[in-house]
Amino acid sequence: MNLRHIEIFHAVYVNGSVSAAARALNVSQPSVSKTLRHAETLLGFELFQRTGGRLVPTEDAHALFSGVAEIQDRVRALREAGRNLRAGAGATLRISALPSLGLGVIPQAVARFLKKRPEVRFDLQTVHHDDLLRKLYEREADIAIANEVPRGAPLGQTWLGEGELVVLHREADLPDLPPRTELARLAGHPFITLAASGPIGRLFTDELERLGLELDEVASARTFYIAAALVRAGVGVTVVDNFTADATLAGSGAEELAMRSLKPPLTFDVHAIHLLDRPPSALAAEFLAVVGDVIEGR
């Protein structure tokens, strides 16, 4: 007997007739009768006898029912678990993200997502690019959100959107900077460089080398947020990703700050990364779609 046979047998046994079983399962009576006959053929004995307009279980049916009822309970529990997973009931999304995303984009996405899915819980953490793989392999996170997928590792990815590098500065230091500015305009001004800043840092360094440009470096920062804090303190200007810049400008004490896009633009991709044997659940995919909307400004 397969699960369909078991379901039909259980429904007829409990409801006492083919018509009642069909109503309970929301299927046609002929379908119930056909499946029941097929089950009896496979078993080699009758399960019910018709008496006074009702189907009366045989002794063999009584012997089968306890085992069938247990299977039905398990199937019902699995279906309920599936519904709960689909609805997000009791689910926890474990997300790691680069600091540049974890203090701006991710909180916005979580706030937006919880308006639709208030029952979902989040386990959030920021992580530097070099630690992405460890977080995934050690199961500290199910999904990592980063700018570059580590090479040579068995990982899956989902493209979420695009970011860009921008100039972050105090208005008083560069009052006439156009909306899109060339990096050469920063020459001669105190510059805060980004040391060991992963793929985005390499993107910026490669552009400086392409232009043959040297900036007046007065300080180096290990994170974009330290660089932004140094700009706010009046140390100099810097180039960071637009997510860091947006979060900095939205913070307190940022009234004197401004950001400008680069000319030509320096853009980078944002990916959701996961282990190949642990793809995102339907709920996680739904959240990632919201992250993508936030990144793209939708």
Side-chain angles (χ1 to χ4, degrees), residues 283-296:
L283 188 68
E286 187 179 344
F287 173 67
L288 292 177
V290 176
V291 174
D293 287 344
V294 173
I295 290 173
E296 293 294 294

Side-chain angles (χ1 to χ4, degrees), residues 13 34-35 39 44 59 79 122-123 132 157 193 256 262 265 279:
Y13 187 100
K34 181 179 179 181
T35 304
E59 289 301 318
R79 287 174 176 165
F122 284 88
D123 180 1
L132 288 174
Q157 60 178 291
T193 190
E256 299 178 352
L262 292 174

Side-chain angles (χ1 to χ4, degrees), residues 14 16 20 45 66 68-69 78 110 140 152 165 179 188 193 203 219 249 257 261 284 286:
V14 170
F45 53 80
S66 60
V68 166
L78 284 172
V110 169
E140 292 185 35
L165 294 184
T193 190
L203 175 67
L249 294 176
L257 300 181
S261 297
E286 187 179 344

Side-chain angles (χ1 to χ4, degrees), residues 67-241:
V68 166
E70 183 179 346
I71 292 172
Q72 277 294 96
D73 288 341
R74 292 182 181 180
V75 170
R76 193 176 296 112
L78 284 172
R79 287 174 176 165
E80 182 65 24
R83 284 192 292 269
N84 287 341
L85 286 171
R86 188 165 57 250
T92 297
L93 295 179
R94 301 185 304 163
I95 310 291
S96 287
L98 297 178
S100 57
L101 298 166
L103 297 180
V105 169
I106 300 302
Q108 292 178 49
V110 169
R112 188 181 299 185
F113 190 73
L114 287 178
K115 291 180 180 178
K116 300 188 302 179
R117 298 282 201 169
E119 72 283 356
V120 177
R121 297 294 175 263
F122 284 88
D123 180 1
L124 304 172
Q125 53 190 307
T126 58
V127 58
H128 292 289
H129 186 268
D130 293 341
D131 290 329
L132 288 174
L133 281 178
R134 183 181 63 80
K135 291 291 185 181
L136 292 173
Y137 283 138
E138 295 180 3
R139 302 295 195 266
E140 292 185 35
D142 301 315
I143 297 170
I145 301 178
N147 308 129
E148 184 178 87
V149 180
R151 297 177 181 178
L155 300 173
Q157 60 178 291
T158 301
W159 184 83
L160 298 179
E162 187 178 78
E164 66 172 328
L165 294 184
V166 297
V167 177
L168 184 65
H169 64 98
R170 294 197 307 178
E171 287 281 15
D173 295 333
L174 292 167
D176 301 322
L177 214 57
R180 281 200 172 273
T181 186
E182 298 175 345
L183 281 174
R185 292 287 297 268
L186 304 183
H189 296 276
F191 187 78
I192 301 155
T193 190
L194 297 167
S197 54
I200 294 181
R202 292 195 297 271
L203 175 67
F204 179 66
T205 300
D206 290 346
E207 181 65 7
L208 289 180
E209 291 180 357
R210 186 186 71 83
L211 297 172
L213 182 63
E214 291 188 9
L215 299 177
D216 184 14
E217 298 179 1
V218 296
S220 64
R222 295 282 173 174
T223 70
F224 293 134
Y225 281 95
I226 293 177
L230 290 170
V231 172
R232 184 187 290 113
V235 174
V237 301
T238 192
V239 171
V240 296
D241 65 282

